[in-house]
Amino acid sequence: MMNVAPVGATAVQDHVALAEIELCGELIIAASAARGERLSADRIDEVLRVSDGLEGGADRDDSRP
């Protein structure tokens, strides 16, 4: 017998997983709109809304894969 959730039942949501899926979607959209082979590390950080905490345009390591 197959177990099926009752109609109207509240689904359990993993908010961290949902946030990761949303960020992946944002990266896919940015990559599809990019002119060039790859997104730069700066563009990825911009899309993911992260900051390395360095102000004033400090050098960064763009050699990461």
Side-chain angles (χ1 to χ4, degrees):
M1 178 174 195
M2 186 170 69
N3 292 326
V4 179
V7 174
T10 303
V12 176
Q13 294 183 355
D14 183 338
H15 297 286
V16 174
L18 292 174
E20 289 177 356
I21 291 167
E22 182 179 341
L23 291 173
C24 287
E26 295 293 329
L27 281 173
I28 291 168
I29 291 168
S32 67
R35 291 183 184 181
E37 191 173 319
R38 295 181 175 193
L39 293 177
S40 69
D42 288 334
R43 180 65 180 130
I44 292 170
D45 287 349
E46 180 184 335
V47 170
L48 297 178
R49 298 178 294 274
V50 298
S51 171
D52 57 13
L54 299 175
E55 296 296 324
D59 291 334
R60 37 178 303 140
D61 179 15
D62 286 334
S63 63
R64 66 183 173 190

